[in-house]
């Protein structure tokens, strides 16, 4: 692989702050790997070293001085145009301008399922400007995967009321209705609104009839791929972190660790999540529907020392 002139390196580093890897590689006529934000300092040193050798540490310092610090890459799903449009429409309809104050959000019960892996994967490092964590050029795309894991369902209310249950097998309509009947309806307050995503088991005719018969009011038109809008995602993030700290040896220990962590979260933490909802809607609008800084994907923490 050809070496890059030192002056060209500086231009590439500056251009990466505002342009895509492919665009920069094309502009300077270099392979994409040489302009990739996911390259380590050692890889860049090997590729870019001038005639006078420099250490990897020196490369690291040069990158940092130019605003490209070593960070864990954010992970987020890719959104299509229709999903972006739906996210914007929902945020507009539930903004402060439409009367969705904190008092109104307090009447919404947020719910969701989540898979908790017994062993979790590491994030990839990337080099990026400090303010560009959620920029698509610097994010690591993710897919859901199997293995040793459990599935949990839970919900939260403003004030700290909450419930969590372990789900065995796949969640079909009947199983979901059983979950609601045993874990949600007993604590449901009149006037409260249930938020749920568009999972098939949530939207079948059977489930709709069940909810109507139980007089459960629903939060309508919830957009797909919107973890940054669903505040319960932050609960999953915290319980996963705490559960993994216990180093469970099997899925039964993992479930007990998750349950303990879920109920140990302070009520004030839940209240602050609710208080963030107006700002979350604004953030989605400002991002034109793209994932915002409120997105959370918990993985093992690693840090670059530079």
């Amino acid at each position: 692989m050809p070496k890059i002139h030192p002056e060209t390196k500086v231009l590439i580093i500056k251009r990466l702050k505002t342009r895509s890897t492919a665009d920069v590689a094309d502009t300077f006529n270099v392979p994409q790997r040489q302009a990739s934000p996911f390259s380590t300092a050692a890889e860049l040193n090997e590729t870019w070293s001038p005639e006078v050798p420099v250490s990897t540490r020196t490369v690291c310092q040069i990158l940092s001085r130019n605003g490209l610090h070593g960070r864990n890459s954010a992970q987020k799903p890719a959104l299509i145009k229709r999903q972006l449009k739906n996210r914007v429409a929902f945020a507009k309809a539930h903004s402060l301008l439409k009367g969705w104050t904190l008092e109104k959000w307090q009447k919404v019960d947020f719910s969701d399922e989540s898979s908790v892996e017994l062993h979790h994967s590491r994030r990839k490092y990337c080099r990026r400007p400090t303010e560009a964590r959620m920029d698509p050029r610097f994010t690591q795309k993710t897919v859901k995967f199997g293995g040793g894991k459990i599935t949990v369902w839970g919900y939260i209310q403003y004030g700290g009321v909450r419930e969590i249950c372990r789900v065995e097998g796949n969640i079909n309509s009947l199983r979901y209705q059983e979950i609601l009947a045993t874990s949600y309806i007993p604590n449901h307050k009149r006037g409260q609104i249930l938020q749920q995503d568009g999972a098939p088991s949530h939207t079948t005719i059977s489930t709709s009839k069940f909810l109507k018969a139980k007089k459960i009011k629903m939060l309508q038109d919830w957009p797909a791929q919107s973890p940054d809008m669903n505040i319960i995602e932050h609960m999953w993030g915290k319980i996963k972190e705490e559960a993994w700290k216990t180093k469970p040896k099997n899925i039964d220990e993992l479930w007990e660790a998750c349950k303990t962590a879920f109920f140990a979260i302070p009520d004030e933490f839940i209240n602050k999540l609710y208080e963030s909802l107006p700002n979350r809607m604004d953030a989605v609008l400002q991002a034109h529907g793209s994932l915002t800084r409120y997105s959370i994907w918990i993985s093992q923490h690693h840090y670059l020392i530079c």
Side-chain angles (χ1 to χ4, degrees):
M1 190 175 293
K3 300 290 184 181
I4 301 176
H5 191 276
E7 293 181 1
T8 304
K9 300 174 200 174
V10 174
L11 293 175
I12 289 176
I13 291 172
K14 291 182 177 179
R15 192 67 64 87
L16 278 172
K17 295 181 180 180
T18 57
R19 306 284 287 277
S20 68
T21 300
D23 191 21
V24 173
D26 184 61
T27 300
F28 292 96
N29 194 29
V30 296
Q32 284 197 35
R33 183 182 177 185
Q34 290 181 299
S36 172
F38 292 99
S39 296
T40 65
E43 291 171 340
L44 292 175
N45 185 30
E46 181 182 350
T47 302
W48 292 5
S49 282
E51 294 181 1
V52 179
V54 296
S55 67
T56 299
R57 181 65 179 173
T58 300
V59 173
C60 194
Q61 291 173 343
I62 293 172
L63 291 167
S64 295
R65 284 201 299 270
N66 283 273
L68 292 174
H69 308 285
R71 296 291 188 267
N72 285 324
S73 60
Q75 299 175 323
K76 64 177 184 179
L79 297 174
I80 60 177
K81 289 184 178 179
R82 174 173 54 81
Q83 292 170 334
L84 293 171
K85 182 179 179 180
N86 291 343
R87 282 169 52 81
V88 169
F90 183 89
K92 283 183 178 179
H94 296 81
S95 65
L96 281 171
L97 292 176
K98 295 296 184 179
W100 276 82
T101 61
L102 173 59
E103 184 178 359
K104 194 167 184 178
W105 279 115
Q106 289 174 1
K107 297 179 180 179
V108 179
D109 300 335
F110 283 84
S111 69
D112 197 17
E113 302 92 13
S114 183
S115 292
V116 187
E117 290 81 24
L118 187 60
H119 304 291
H120 50 289
S121 59
R122 295 182 178 181
R123 289 180 180 173
K124 292 174 65 177
Y125 297 130
C126 75
R127 293 198 172 276
R128 56 170 175 80
T130 303
E131 69 281 3
R133 182 172 185 267
M134 298 308 299
D135 189 306
R137 294 172 297 138
F138 306 109
T139 59
Q140 179 183 351
K141 302 302 181 289
T142 62
V143 295
K144 295 180 180 179
F145 57 93
K149 64 180 181 180
I150 59 173
T151 299
V152 297
W153 178 91
Y155 85 95
I156 56 175
Q157 289 180 356
Y158 184 83
V161 175
R162 71 198 83 173
E163 188 56 81
I164 187 172
C165 65
R166 180 177 174 181
V167 182
E168 301 290 350
N170 296 326
I171 302 179
N172 56 26
S173 296
L174 292 178
R175 184 72 185 98
Y176 182 58
Q177 292 165 35
E178 291 175 1
I179 291 171
L180 293 176
T182 58
S183 300
Y184 177 69
I185 292 176
N187 294 323
H188 178 69
K189 300 177 182 178
R190 187 174 182 179
Q192 289 295 110
I193 303 170
L194 176 63
Q195 175 278 336
Q196 60 179 10
D197 61 25
S201 61
H202 300 174
T203 57
T204 62
I205 295 176
S206 174
T207 297
S208 297
K209 288 181 177 179
F210 172 84
L211 292 168
K212 186 176 181 179
K214 299 297 182 180
K215 299 181 179 180
I216 306 296
K217 188 177 180 180
M218 305 301 301
L219 184 63
Q220 301 297 322
D221 302 321
W222 185 262
Q225 299 282 38
S226 298
D228 51 342
M229 291 188 187
N230 193 348
I231 56 176
I232 201 173
E233 293 288 348
H234 292 262
M235 298 287 286
W236 300 146
K238 285 187 72 69
I239 70 168
K240 289 176 184 180
E241 278 192 320
E242 295 303 316
W244 288 332
K245 286 179 182 178
T246 68
K247 299 181 179 179
K249 299 180 178 63
N250 53 59
I251 57 176
D252 290 329
E253 290 186 4
L254 178 62
W255 160 238
E256 290 299 324
C258 287
K259 185 168 57 173
T260 299
F262 185 78
F263 288 106
I265 294 174
D267 295 348
E268 184 62 24
F269 179 82
I270 295 177
N271 291 346
K272 287 185 178 297
L273 292 177
Y274 273 87
E275 291 165 7
S276 72
L277 282 163
N279 290 336
R280 289 170 187 261
M281 300 302 117
D282 288 342
V284 171
L285 293 176
Q286 292 175 14
H288 306 290
S290 293
L291 271 294
T292 67
R293 66 187 181 88
Y294 291 102
S295 300
I296 179 168
W297 297 87
I298 297 298
S299 186
Q300 191 171 10
H301 295 293
H302 299 277
Y303 301 95
L304 289 180
I305 310 175
C306 62

